[in-house]
Amino acid sequence: MLRIIPYSKCYAVQVSHLFHLAINVIADDVYSIAEKQAWSSSPRSRYHWHKRLSRSKAWLMIDDERDVQGVPFCCGLVNLETHFNTRGYIDSLYVHPDFQHRGIATALFTQLQTWATSANISNLSVDASKLSKPLFLSHGFRLHHRSYQEKRGQIIMGYLMSKVLPVQEQS
């Protein structure tokens, strides 16, 4: 059974592997081998991912039927920056290659958007990859322009996108 849970430290290693695998299975005609290696040459440490995710609002999609050392299998990740300068920025949205094209990214995004609306975050933004751009467009994001990130000497192209969220009525 698949379900969404808040991020927990016990998933940091799985998240690291999920991120690395999701990047490295991208077709070479979408992002080159050099770009993918710059983006993720190997899984990052659990410390890196725990620090990154515990400083934001993060959710995981887990599969209760698969197990990794006594912990359900993490097959998806999304996180939202909640600090002042980056409030509303979607930092990560990744799905394990074995679970792609099953609606997991949409379910995770819906969870994030529902929480952001209830938290009175007025605007979401993202530097979407070539692969995630259609997902964000389908959820009402507006494309601003191409964006470029330098990683280990490679320039990786994406798209700066944003979406205005409805304001919650105060009762």
Side-chain angles (χ1 to χ4, degrees):
M1 179 176 95
L2 298 177
R3 62 188 170 99
I4 297 174
I5 63 168
Y7 166 74
S8 173
K9 184 178 184 175
C10 67
Y11 286 97
V13 171
Q14 287 191 52
V15 165
S16 178
H17 289 284
L18 181 156
F19 172 83
H20 179 68
L21 285 171
I23 298 302
N24 283 282
V25 299
I26 297 172
D28 294 347
D29 61 340
V30 176
Y31 288 105
S32 71
I33 293 170
E35 288 170 324
K36 292 184 291 185
Q37 284 294 299
W39 199 344
S40 182
S41 60
S42 64
R44 301 281 304 262
S45 72
R46 82 172 142 231
Y47 173 80
H48 165 84
W49 279 102
H50 178 63
K51 185 175 177 182
R52 182 171 172 176
L53 296 179
S54 62
R55 291 183 174 175
S56 63
K57 190 69 178 168
W59 296 269
L60 308 175
M61 180 70 78
I62 62 167
D63 183 353
D64 287 317
E65 295 177 15
R66 287 179 66 176
D67 188 89
V68 177
Q69 298 176 343
V71 178
F73 185 75
C74 177
C75 56
L77 151 76
V78 68
N79 76 306
L80 181 71
E81 297 295 329
T82 56
H83 299 306
F84 180 73
N85 290 335
T86 56
R87 185 171 163 87
Y89 180 77
I90 300 170
D91 178 51
S92 299
L93 177 57
Y94 294 96
V95 176
H96 189 283
D98 294 348
F99 289 81
Q100 292 178 358
H101 309 291
R102 293 190 194 180
I104 290 172
T106 292
L108 287 166
F109 172 74
T110 300
Q111 174 73 33
L112 178 148
Q113 180 173 268
T114 299
W115 182 88
T117 300
S118 70
N120 288 316
I121 293 176
S122 60
N123 191 55
L124 296 176
S125 62
V126 66
D127 283 299
S129 69
K130 295 174 187 178
L131 294 177
S132 65
K133 177 186 169 194
L135 172 81
F136 289 110
L137 287 172
S138 75
H139 287 284
F141 277 73
R142 194 176 109 232
L143 174 63
H144 294 283
H145 55 76
R146 289 183 179 182
S147 61
Y148 300 90
Q149 295 181 17
E150 188 274 329
K151 295 180 187 290
R152 297 184 185 141
Q154 292 290 316
I155 305 298
I156 300 172
M157 199 268 293
Y159 303 91
L160 180 62
M161 305 174 80
S162 69
K163 178 180 182 174
V164 175
L165 295 179
V167 176
Q168 286 281 77
E169 297 282 328
Q170 298 294 323
S171 39

